């Protein structure tokens, strides 16, 4: 008796989204993740195309206008494989997927400030982040806290000012009220739970209120609540009498965590099965079909059997691609072919912040238009699908397309299987 | 232009120069030290951190071995806070000539190195990850030494006797009057100012750069640069120094030194022409990993954190030796008056970190002779200034303990290496530069597994706030430090460390978008990248 | 699969020891952000901090210096959420052992809490008296003062008759007992033996209903986990060895070992090998043959061998998957199994930990932390307004029942009911 229709391997954005779509369509889905995916490390915004040409430092405003030139420059990128319509469908489907609201700025990117005050162009953002849009010249006060080592408001506001965007920007660094003040190494997540307490907010508001009168909107580190985020923002806006927005912090990211929890909630509510903390160590392919994968439970390997298998294990960061000192590069579950150069010196550029990307970051699994992995042009297994950053030619640093790829490929697989 | 005068001018802020400065100051000389970068930034800061027992030289260079064991015991008394008493082992693996073991043991005893043979079981009890196929093991009093702390303690102790230390001052000219060297002109790399310092005597302690400096005084000195490449492994898979029991000539990658939170494997030995420019080559990395496996079979399973190279100064009086390891590690003290007919100029070069004090004593003895005075050396009996208080050996757990007991208080900024905001702010207050790398050298910021992934942004934020820097200055400090970290990482990026790099990339590019700040604001441009490619002064411009 | 370097088995097993997994940590702080304890108290700096990070400063040749790791509850959420395979909780358990070794002193309270079996053995014969006495507030305040066991910590009721006593004297002689070629070994653990014999009886009923003869080895003892989590490794190893010796005979014969206590089966599966370093052939065999009871039954279902003559239960029941069960890394077999019952709606509570973490929540200084950790779980259970809720682990059941007043049952009790066996 096979308990599942589809096994999804990987708990990042691509895996979770695929799992949610399929479960919503009535499938019985098992999602297996070796730990929590990289969602909680990211910004929590959905970047679709931020820079084109990719090495430019000028952010893309209307991303649909630049998509065709991006595809022309990157004919092997997953976008080029699936096309603009699929991207739009994926964005639309994502917006209805969870209880967490994501907003689109028409066909334009949101241009939101980062934690150094750089412009972060992004397609879908939670309203709390979108309200920091730098295309809007409303003045802003960035508020931060001495106790939070992951956010420096003066650096943010001065870097915004230095970019001459016509936005009056100032910063304010406060001490947290108790019980925050005694927490020396408070994490963004801990602070977010404090923000859910009304009396804590009340104490903060009493300090900020008098000092924010000259500003049109107030920026906070992205710690405005976890599960009760929407209520926290509404309350702060009401009390401060002006829009409140969030600016990302160093990871772990609260907006990323909110998205993770929202997707998990959607999936579990729909009776999806989830196993976090377990590694899928091997997969068996017979006659062009995957017959099972094996998970490593704490004491033995256990087969998991389904009709279809979706591999969403990520790129190098996620562990979907492994490398070693001998210059070997491999995909650890199915040993899928990864086109690579085994001379490690070709993997990198001399620059860390490389405008052209580190070549190693483009390594991945080559697929057909059904996202089945292929060898030469032949599918290796026609019930195996690859989504997200495990795909070849999908280095997210190039154009900032990572989450766009995750959503688009997830939607495509859901359409094929659902 | 600023003018200064001093009695003795020491050029070079490695451990030898710092040692000479302290010895001079303690013997009552007015002394000044010039260093072109930060203290211990050259060869002294680019070694594996071994305080030799002398075992390594016992067979083929007994004199050097004897010097080592004598100095080893002195340094344990005078700078215990810089030393971790790891102890050492010489292990004879199946790849090593078995007959060498007995020869080694006898040679050690001839020069009073207390080598003791222990059983393989005992070895594995102490160090479970060592190769169980090792055939023989001898323990020796090796240790590891923190060079940044040692150099800092030497100049602070020297300052207590009135000596002055000028970092980031590069000598551009030696002033001569007739056949006498009478001073030096240096440029302050931070401010761009020129400083002229006159002195009665000048000591060159610039190691592998000795030939270049001597040439400024029209002396012909040949110092070869012998590149040695090392790799810091992220995990201390051994807590004892482990040496292969082999003839040191013709052997690379034969030592693992646990130092601080890492284990360093070294080294190669390659002659290079330019002591400022010596890339790490792929074969060197490969060799280290392969040799490491012979001592610790699971060696390659651990993460390689960084690779770096230093240049040993190898003085050669006449005729080039073909093999660098065959050159004695004994040092050379040159009085250029009889040698080259140039007065008031002395060069000290060669030698090893472990024997720096003895070299300094000899050098200052010569200075006394040349300045016609007799003053006794007391450095073997004087415990150095210790910023941490108590005089006891440094232990691996000490930082963690200080945090637990509240001695380190305040926010943790560099979590990997346990560096607090209070430490950073105190350091920023006494430093007129804005270089994150200074904090690394002084406090170990950014030296852990994430290689600055989390703390660089935090430190930049604190610098911006505390030093009231412009955003341009802050962004540049941030970008430069990340690039400095990258430079040591990218030769050893694979496996888990490559995942780490991608996380760091995710933070600085994905979350912060640092790379997309306008270039005028971020300081990222091709010229600066070219600068960071060559070691030296990229930190200040 | 490609492996980068082939090491012999011994070398590999030494390298695989949990402390070396610190090398894999990329400092991402995912573990800290998910840690149930660090998020409610300042006493605990978080799993990354006391785990892989502090590990870099631990030299086995030096004494232990970091007391703060004592506030780790051992729930293991950190190890589960880590995407890099760092064995954070296990690393902490080992470091805590060394911490107490350095102190050369383990509080009497911890020693007693570590001996659940001794407590049960002492309490069971006097069950009616003991059960009443332990509910007396003045006595509990006294116990708190003398021993440091929190006055409000949940105390299970002793069984008058031990499970093993029932099995030996009643069940073994019963004509209804199933004798079969299909045999399974039942590891009952302390909770079933001394407090909740009815769960053991339900388990036997369900297993026998599916045609299995159930063996209950006489020489099994407490798994040792309470001692382990109170840093008494030597005592824990003694118990572990007794159990391994007892169970390995059956494992060699190919029999599977099942248990209803998810933390005790986790000890057999993993802790003996990875925390107590008893990684020998016998320990591995016992580990490989050990099953959580729902895991065992679900595998039967997958093979089409589980009887599905369930009577419908038309109810929506909340279920909490305890940390120690999730740490088996096998998914949540209880949910899938219970959902085979017609009419049932299992409401999976989204909470990481109830806070009790074995003996952690019993300690005076940790009780409030424990209740704060479980707060969200308790609220969710209460919000369901169900008069019964399900959880696989005994101390979690006691904690939730104590905090919410909701009657707590083990999944196997629900199955027994659906089979009409109660």
């Amino acid at each position: 008796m096979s308990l599942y229709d589809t096994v999804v391997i990987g708990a990042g954005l691509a895996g979770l989204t695929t799992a949610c779509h399929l479960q919503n369509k009535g499938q019985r889905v098992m999602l297996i993740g070796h730990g929590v995916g990289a969602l909680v490390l990211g910004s929590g915004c959905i970047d679709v195309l931020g820079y084109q040409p990719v090495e430019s430092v000028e952010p893309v405003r209307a991303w649909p206008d630049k998509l065709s030139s991006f595809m022309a420059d990157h004919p092997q990128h997953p976008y080029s494989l699936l096309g603009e319509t699929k991207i739009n469908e994926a964005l639309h489907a994502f917006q209805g997927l969870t209880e967490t609201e994501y907003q689109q700025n028409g066909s334009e990117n949101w241009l939101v400030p980062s934690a150094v005050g750089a412009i972060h162009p992004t397609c879908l953002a939670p309203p709390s982040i979108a309200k920091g849009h730098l295309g809007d010249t409303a003045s802003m006060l960035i508020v931060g806290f001495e106790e939070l080592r992951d956010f420096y408001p003066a650096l943010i506001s001065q870097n915004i000012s230095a970019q001459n965007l016509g936005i009056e920007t100032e910063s304010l660094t406060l001490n947290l009220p108790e019980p925050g003040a005694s927490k020396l190494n408070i994490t963004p997540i801990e602070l977010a739970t404090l923000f859910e307490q009304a009396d804590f907010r009340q104490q903060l508001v009493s300090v900020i209120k008098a000092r924010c009168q000259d500003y049109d909107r107030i920026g906070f580190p992205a710690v405005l609540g976890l599960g009760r985020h929407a209520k926290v923002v509404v309350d702060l806006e009401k009390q401060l009498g002006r829009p409140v927005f969030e600016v990302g912090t160093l990871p772990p990211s609260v907006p990323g965590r909110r998205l993770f929890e929202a997707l998990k909630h959607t999936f579990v509510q729909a009776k999806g099965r989830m196993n976090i903390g377990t590694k899928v160590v091997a997969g068996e392919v017979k006659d062009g079909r995957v017959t099972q994968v094996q998970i490593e439970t704490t004491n033995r390997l256990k087969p998991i059997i389904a009709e279809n298998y979706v591999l969403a294990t990520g790129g190098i960061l996620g562990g979907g691609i492994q490398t070693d000192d001998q210059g070997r590069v491999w995909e650890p579950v199915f040993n899928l072919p990864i086109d690579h150069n085994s001379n490690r010196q070709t993997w990198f550029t001399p620059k860390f912040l490389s405008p052209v990307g580190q070549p190693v970051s483009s390594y991945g699994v080559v697929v057909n238009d059904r996202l089945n992995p292929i060898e030469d042009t032949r599918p290796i297994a026609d019930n195996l699908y690859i989504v997200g950053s495990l795909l070849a030619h999908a280095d997210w640093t190039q154009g900032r397309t990572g989450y766009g790829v995750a959503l688009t490929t997830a939607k495509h697989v859901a359409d094929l299987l659902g | 232009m600023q003018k200064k005068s001093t009695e003795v001018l020491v050029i070079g802020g490695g451990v030898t120069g710092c040692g000479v400065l302290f010895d001079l100051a303690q013997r009552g000389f007015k002394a000044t030290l010039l260093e072109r970068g930060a203290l211990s930034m050259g060869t002294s800061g680019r070694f594996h951190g071994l305080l030799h027992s002398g075992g390594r030289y016992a067979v083929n260079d007994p004199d050097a071995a004897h010097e080592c064991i004598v100095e080893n015991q002195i340094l344990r008394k005078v700078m215990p806070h810089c030393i971790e008493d790891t102890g050492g082992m010489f292990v004879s693996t199946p790849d090593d000539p078995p007959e060498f073991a007995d020869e080694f043991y006898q040679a050690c005893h001839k020069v009073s190195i207390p080598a003791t043979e222990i059983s393989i079981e005992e070895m594995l009890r102490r160090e479970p990850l060592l190769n169980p196929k090792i055939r023989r093991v001898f323990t020796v009093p090796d240790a590891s030494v923190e060079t940044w702390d040692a150099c800092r303690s030497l100049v602070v102790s020297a300052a207590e006797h009135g000596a002055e230390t000028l970092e980031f001052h590069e000598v551009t000219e030696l002033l001569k009057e007739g056949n006498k060297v009478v001073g030096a002109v240096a440029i302050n790399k931070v401010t761009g100012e020129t400083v002229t310092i006159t002195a009665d005597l000048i000591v060159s302690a610039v190691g592998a750069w000795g030939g270049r400096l001597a040439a400024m005084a029209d002396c012909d000195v040949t110092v070869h640069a012998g590149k040695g490449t090392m790799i810091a492994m992220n995990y201390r898979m051994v807590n004892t120094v482990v040496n292969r029991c082999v003839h040191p000539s013709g052997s690379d990658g034969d030592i693992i030194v646990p130092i601080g939170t890492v284990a360093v494997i070294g080294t190669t030995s390659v002659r290079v022409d330019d002591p400022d420019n010596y890339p790490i080559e792929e074969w060197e990395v490969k060799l280290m990993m392969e040799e490491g496996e012979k001592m610790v079979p699971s060696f390659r399973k651990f993460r390689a954190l960084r690779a770096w190279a230093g240049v040993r100064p190898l003085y050669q009086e006449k005729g080039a030796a073909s093999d660098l390891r065959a050159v004695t590690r004994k040092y050379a003290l040159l009085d250029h008056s009889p040698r080259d007919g140039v007065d008031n100029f002395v060069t000290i070069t060669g030698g090893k970190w472990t024997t720096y004090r003895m070299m300094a004593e000899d050098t200052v003895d010569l200075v006394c002779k040349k300045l016609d005075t007799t003053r006794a050396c007391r450095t073997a009996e004087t415990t150095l200034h210790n910023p941490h208080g108590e005089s006891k050996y440094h232990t691996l757990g000490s930082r963690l303990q200080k945090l637990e007991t509240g001695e380190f208080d305040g926010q943790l900024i560099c979590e990997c290496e346990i560096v607090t905001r209070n430490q950073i702010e105190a350091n920023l207050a006494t430093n007129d530069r804005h270089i994150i790398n200074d904090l690394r050298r002084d406090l170990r910021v950014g030296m852990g597994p994430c290689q600055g992934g989390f703390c660089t942004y935090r430190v930049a934020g604190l610098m911006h706030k505390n030093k009231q820097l412009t955003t341009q200055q802050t962004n540049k400090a941030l970008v430069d430090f990340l690039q400095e970290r990258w430079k040591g990482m990218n030769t050893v990026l694979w496996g888990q460390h490559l995942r780490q790099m991608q996380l760091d990339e995710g933070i600085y590019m994905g979350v912060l978008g640092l790379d997309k700040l306008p270039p005028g604001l971020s300081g990222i441009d091709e010229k600066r990248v070219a600068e960071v490619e060559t070691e030296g002064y990229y930190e200040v411009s | 699969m490609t492996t980068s370097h082939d090491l012999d088995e011994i070398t590999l097993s030494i390298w695989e020891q949990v402390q070396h997994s610190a090398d894999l940590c990329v400092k991402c702080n995912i573990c800290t952000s998910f840690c149930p304890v660090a998020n409610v108290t300042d006493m605990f700096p978080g799993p990354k901090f006391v785990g892989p990070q502090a590990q870099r400063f631990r030299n086995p040749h030096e004494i232990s210096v970091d007391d703060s790791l004592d506030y780790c509850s051992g729930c293991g959420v950190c190890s589960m959420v880590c995407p890099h395979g760092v064995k954070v909780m296990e690393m902490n358990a080992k470091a805590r052992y060394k911490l107490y070794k350095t102190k050369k002193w383990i509080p009497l309270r911890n020693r007693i809490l570590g001996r659940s079996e001794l407590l049960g053995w002492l309490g069971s014969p006097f069950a009616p008296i003991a059960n009443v006495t332990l509910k007396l507030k003045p006595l509990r305040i006294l116990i708190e003062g003398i021993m440091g066991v929190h006055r409000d910590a949940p105390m299970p009721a002793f069984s008058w008759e031990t499970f093993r006593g029932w099995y030996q004297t009643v069940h073994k002689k019963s004509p209804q007992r199933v004798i079969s070629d299909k045999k399974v070994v039942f590891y009952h653990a302390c909770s079933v033996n001394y407090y909740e014999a009815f769960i053991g009886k339900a388990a036997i009923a369900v297993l026998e209903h599916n045609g299995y003869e159930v063996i209950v080895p006489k020489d099994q003892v407490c798994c040792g986990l309470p001692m382990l989590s109170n840093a008494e490794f030597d005592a824990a190893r003694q118990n572990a060895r007794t159990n391994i010796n007892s169970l390995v005979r059956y494992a060699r014969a190919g029999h599977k070992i099942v248990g209803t206590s998810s933390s005790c089966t986790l000890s057999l599966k993993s802790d003996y090998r990875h925390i107590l370093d008893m990684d020998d052939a016998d320990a591995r065999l016992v580990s490989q043959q050990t099953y959580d009871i729902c895991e065992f039954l679900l595998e039967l279902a997958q093979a089409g061998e589980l009887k599905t003559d369930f009577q419908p239960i038309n109810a929506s029941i909340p279920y909490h998957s305890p940390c120690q069960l999730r740490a088996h890394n096998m998914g949540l077999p209880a949910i899938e199994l219970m959902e085979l019952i017609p009419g049932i709606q299992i409401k999976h509570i989204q909470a990481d930990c109830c806070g009790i973490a074995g003996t952690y929540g019993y300690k005076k200084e940790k009780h409030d932390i424990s209740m704060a950790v479980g707060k969200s779980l308790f609220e969710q259970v209460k919000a369901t307004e169900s008069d019964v809720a399900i959880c696989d682990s005994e101390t979690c059941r006691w904690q939730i029942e104590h905090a919410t007043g909701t009657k707590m049952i083990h999944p196997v009790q629900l199955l027994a009911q659906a089979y009409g066996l109660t």
Side-chain angles (χ1 to χ4, degrees), chain B residues 124-334:
Chain B
L124 290 173
R125 192 189 65 74
R126 294 186 197 178
E127 296 297 345
L129 285 162
L130 281 178
N131 188 350
K133 296 196 181 106
I134 285 169
R135 291 183 287 215
R136 298 184 70 182
V137 199
F138 304 91
T139 62
V140 291
D142 284 338
S144 61
V145 62
E146 293 282 352
T147 186
W148 313 110
D149 285 350
C151 289
R152 187 60 60 196
S153 290
L154 283 165
V155 300
V156 171
S157 300
E160 286 166 359
H161 294 279
E164 184 183 26
T165 300
L166 302 171
E167 291 177 72
F168 289 91
H169 279 66
E170 180 170 27
V171 172
T172 54
E173 191 187 343
L174 287 178
L175 299 173
K176 279 183 80 175
E177 281 175 11
N179 63 347
K180 285 183 182 148
V181 183
V182 295
V185 180
I187 181 159
N188 180 332
K189 301 297 289 184
V190 179
T191 61
E193 264 187 308
T194 305
V195 187
T196 301
I197 302 175
T198 54
D200 298 342
L201 194 97
I202 283 121
V203 177
S204 160
V206 294
W209 292 262
R212 288 188 189 177
L213 189 65
M216 291 185 189
D218 306 314
C219 300
D220 183 17
V221 173
T222 307
V223 183
H224 296 298
K227 177 182 70 162
T229 293
M230 283 143 277
I231 295 176
M233 303 299 286
N234 180 45
Y235 192 82
R236 277 179 46 146
M237 70 278 286
V238 289
N239 288 287
T240 308
V241 173
V242 179
N243 305 264
R244 291 271 287 282
C245 197
V246 288
H247 217 276
S249 61
S251 159
D252 286 332
D254 56 0
I255 182 166
I256 304 175
V257 182
I259 177 160
T261 47
V262 299
V264 177
I265 184 160
T267 63
T268 53
S269 186
V270 185
R271 184 186 295 180
V272 292
D273 295 331
D274 181 357
D276 282 326
N277 195 359
Y278 42 89
I280 292 162
E281 290 165 71
E282 179 65 15
W283 69 265
E284 296 180 284
V285 172
K286 195 163 172 272
L287 186 73
M288 293 295 138
M289 301 311 288
E290 280 167 6
E291 294 302 304
E293 244 176 346
K294 292 177 183 166
M295 290 178 273
V296 175
S298 52
F299 192 81
R300 299 160 97 143
K301 291 260 178 196
F302 291 98
R303 222 163 124 176
L305 192 61
R306 284 181 78 77
W308 69 89
V311 279
R312 302 177 181 96
L314 299 164
Y315 172 69
Q316 192 191 343
E317 187 71 61
K318 281 187 185 79
S322 54
D323 183 358
L324 291 181
R325 277 210 168 76
V327 177
T328 178
R329 294 298 163 85
K330 241 180 119 41
Y331 55 88
L333 174 60
L334 311 177

Side-chain angles (χ1 to χ4, degrees), chain B residues 16 20 27 201-205 221 223 315-317 330-340 345-351 358-370:
Chain B
T16 309
V20 169
R27 292 198 215 187
L201 194 97
I202 283 121
V203 177
S204 160
V221 173
V223 183
Y315 172 69
Q316 192 191 343
E317 187 71 61
K330 241 180 119 41
Y331 55 88
L333 174 60
L334 311 177
D335 181 349
H336 294 287
S337 177
R339 186 184 182 273
D340 305 290
F345 186 49
V346 167
T347 293
I348 173 76
T349 188
M358 181 183 274
M359 291 157 66
E361 179 175 348
D362 266 13
T363 307
V364 181
D365 284 349
L366 178 62
V367 169
C368 288
K369 201 171 116 200
K370 288 179 71 74

Side-chain angles (χ1 to χ4, degrees), chain A residues 52-66:
Chain A
Q52 172 56 25
V54 295
E55 60 272 28
S56 158
V57 295
E58 195 58 44
V60 166
R61 285 174 186 266
W63 63 268
D65 298 350
K66 294 279 187 178

Side-chain angles (χ1 to χ4, degrees), chain A residues 7-59:
Chain A
V7 170
V8 177
I9 308 162
L13 183 63
L16 280 162
T17 309
T18 311
C20 287
H21 283 319
L22 289 173
Q23 190 73 33
N24 283 348
K25 290 182 175 189
Q27 283 209 354
R28 295 168 305 162
V29 180
M30 166 60 101
L31 184 141
I32 306 165
H34 185 212
V36 167
L39 254 185
V40 296
L41 304 175
S43 66
C45 298
I46 307 296
D47 301 353
V48 172
L49 180 63
Y51 297 91
Q52 172 56 25
V54 295
E55 60 272 28
S56 158
V57 295
E58 195 58 44

Side-chain angles (χ1 to χ4, degrees), chain C residues 130-366:
Chain C
N131 290 339
V132 171
T133 326
L134 283 175
K135 288 203 170 78
L136 297 174
K137 200 72 175 184
L139 182 70
R140 289 297 299 273
I141 293 171
L142 193 69
I143 292 175
E144 177 182 292
I146 298 170
M147 307 243 317
V149 175
H150 196 279
R151 65 184 74 168
D152 292 330
M155 284 289 166
F158 294 109
S159 277
W160 175 251
E161 174 191 46
T162 66
F163 169 76
R164 208 155 60 207
W166 166 82
Y167 176 82
Q168 292 295 341
T169 58
V170 181
H171 190 66
K172 259 185 142 176
K173 290 169 188 158
S174 157
Q176 275 86 42
R177 181 180 174 224
V178 173
I179 305 291
S180 162
D181 290 343
K182 291 201 296 180
K183 295 184 201 310
V184 66
V185 177
F186 185 57
Y187 179 73
H188 56 58
C190 309
S191 63
V192 162
N193 200 31
Y194 297 108
Y195 307 103
E196 299 174 326
F198 48 89
I199 290 176
K201 291 175 188 174
I204 289 194
V206 168
L207 292 166
E208 290 191 343
H209 182 69
N210 280 287
Y212 278 86
E213 177 181 332
V214 183
I215 304 165
V216 180
K218 269 192 287 191
D219 44 2
Q220 57 174 300
V221 294
C222 164
C223 67
L225 179 63
M227 299 165 187
L228 184 158
S229 48
N230 286 292
E232 288 193 74
F233 278 25
D234 296 337
R237 283 194 185 104
Q238 274 188 17
N239 277 33
R241 185 50 64 198
T242 306
N243 283 327
I244 292 168
N245 291 344
S246 160
L247 298 170
V248 75
R249 298 172 299 208
Y250 304 102
R252 282 202 201 105
H255 301 322
K256 291 175 178 172
I257 302 151
V258 303
T260 48
S261 169
S262 47
S263 51
C264 307
T265 45
L266 185 64
S267 296
L268 298 181
K269 281 180 170 190
S270 171
D271 298 349
Y272 290 176
R273 293 176 54 201
H274 299 127
I275 299 179
L276 298 177
D277 292 329
M278 301 170 74
D279 202 12
D280 55 52
D282 285 358
R284 284 179 181 208
L285 188 59
V286 168
S287 159
Q288 276 156 22
Q289 290 295 100
T290 300
Y291 287 74
D292 165 72
I293 189 156
C294 295
E295 177 191 20
F296 175 80
L297 294 171
L298 188 66
E299 285 195 6
L300 288 186
Q302 274 171 298
E305 294 168 11
L306 186 83
K307 283 198 183 168
T308 50
D309 53 339
F310 296 116
Q311 293 152 21
I313 298 179
N314 292 309
S316 169
I317 308 180
Y319 168 74
H320 168 59
S321 56
C323 326
Q324 297 282 343
L325 178 91
R326 300 202 307 279
H328 288 232
N329 293 341
M330 60 183 180
L332 301 174
I335 296 189
E336 299 183 56
L337 193 60
M338 291 186 291
E339 286 187 348
L340 297 174
I341 300 170
I344 198 91
Q345 287 292 321
I346 299 297
K347 181 160 174 40
H348 185 193
I349 303 287
Q350 292 300 299
D352 276 329
C353 182
C354 71
I356 192 81
T359 59
Y360 186 84
Y362 285 88
K363 295 168 184 168
K364 185 171 90 180
E365 72 280 12
K366 289 161 186 150

